[in-house]
Amino acid sequence: MDMTAASAHAGVGFTHHYQMRTYEKTFFDILDDTFMEDYMGRNREFFIEYFNRLFKYAKGGIDIIRADEDLGGQENMSISPESWRRWYKPLWQDVFRICKDNGAKIWMHSCGFCRDVVDDFIEIGVDILNPVPVYVRGSDPLDMKKTFGDRLAFDGGVDQINIMIKGTPEMVRQEVKLRIEQMASGGGFIIGPSQVFTKDMPIENIITFFDAAHEFGEY
């Protein structure tokens, strides 16, 4: 049985905007309707054609699209939900429709505060939300599972900052056990750090993470 998955990347929204224009310019851009209509129109012209061609030449070989949309810090969104819905959501929705029409699942990375638009993510076709950071307001793993778990799968959950980097191996073991207990019931959970594995994590914590995932991860 082939257990691999082929992925591709999508970045068409707010994160793409500030990566192109810097945060400072982006915040001023959003206040200028004329600029935003032209800017997002150009993005639409490029990305719709890009994704149609991507799937055409992939010939069914793409299983998952990774989408990146970091919308906030640890307490609030960097822009209002209304601004995101007005300027960025429509293009995301149309890009995701192309992905879904070609059989691809949508894996969305949004590591800052995004609770106000999670329902919007689901509406436009997101299947998996990453990374569910417990230290970000509105991202408590248990609450996220209870609130959205019937409509959304999750990837992440294990406290990167306080446990994987700063904690002991036993703390890592207990954290992995807790997140599996909170989020694995009924399926729809991929255990992982609440960001990524990084070089500042003690190697023994990384080894313990995988050992604990094997120990507690069957259900």
Side-chain angles (χ1 to χ4, degrees):
M1 179 183 295
D2 184 4
M3 298 298 289
T4 63
S7 66
H9 182 262
V12 306
F14 175 70
T15 296
H16 177 259
H17 192 161
Y18 68 69
Q19 288 175 340
M20 294 286 288
R21 294 274 294 164
T22 75
Y23 274 109
E24 181 179 4
K25 290 180 180 178
T26 297
F27 293 141
F28 282 102
D29 291 345
I30 292 172
L31 301 176
D32 185 338
D33 286 4
T34 301
F35 176 90
M36 288 299 293
E37 287 167 2
D38 182 61
Y39 173 78
M40 292 308 298
R42 289 168 182 256
N43 274 274
R44 173 175 294 279
E45 182 179 356
F46 174 82
F47 281 115
I48 295 299
E49 179 67 15
Y50 169 82
F51 280 97
N52 279 322
R53 291 194 184 196
L54 176 70
F55 283 102
K56 175 182 177 181
Y57 291 109
K59 297 180 180 179
I62 297 173
D63 303 299
I64 299 172
I65 289 289
R66 172 188 170 126
D68 285 272
E69 188 71 314
D70 289 333
L71 292 171
Q74 294 192 0
E75 292 292 327
N76 295 290
M77 287 178 61
S78 299
I79 59 174
S80 70
E82 292 75 22
S83 292
W84 182 82
R85 292 177 184 125
R86 179 183 182 189
W87 295 118
Y88 305 108
K89 179 180 176 180
L91 182 52
W92 275 121
Q93 186 168 24
D94 290 345
V95 166
F96 287 166
R97 185 177 297 113
I98 295 170
C99 300
K100 291 299 185 74
D101 286 346
N102 285 276
K105 297 292 187 182
I106 307 298
W107 182 97
M108 172 70 87
H109 170 86
S110 192
C111 61
F113 179 82
C114 63
R115 181 63 177 258
D116 291 345
V117 294
V118 172
D119 278 317
D120 296 88
F121 288 168
I122 296 168
E123 178 191 336
I124 62 178
V126 171
D127 298 292
I128 307 165
L129 181 63
N130 164 272
V132 201
V134 65
Y135 40 79
V136 170
R137 184 173 72 87
S139 291
D140 176 74
L142 180 58
D143 180 60
M144 291 290 281
K145 179 72 174 184
K146 288 181 176 179
T147 305
F148 304 108
D150 60 336
R151 296 172 289 157
L152 193 64
F154 298 98
D155 173 20
V158 174
D159 189 324
Q160 171 134 353
I161 295 174
N162 302 296
I163 304 297
M164 290 300 300
I165 294 175
K166 299 178 181 179
T168 65
E170 181 57 25
M171 291 169 67
V172 171
R173 182 176 181 274
Q174 292 302 318
E175 172 79 357
V176 170
K177 180 175 183 289
L178 173 62
R179 300 309 169 205
I180 290 173
E181 289 174 348
Q182 290 180 327
M183 303 190 76
S185 178
F189 180 52
I190 304 167
I191 189 76
S194 58
Q195 190 54 263
V196 293
F197 291 103
T198 51
K199 63 182 180 180
D200 53 354
M201 292 179 183
I203 189 63
E204 56 270 24
N205 284 0
I206 296 175
I207 293 171
T208 300
F209 170 92
F210 285 104
D211 287 344
H214 281 290
E215 181 180 356
F216 303 113
E218 293 187 8
Y219 59 95

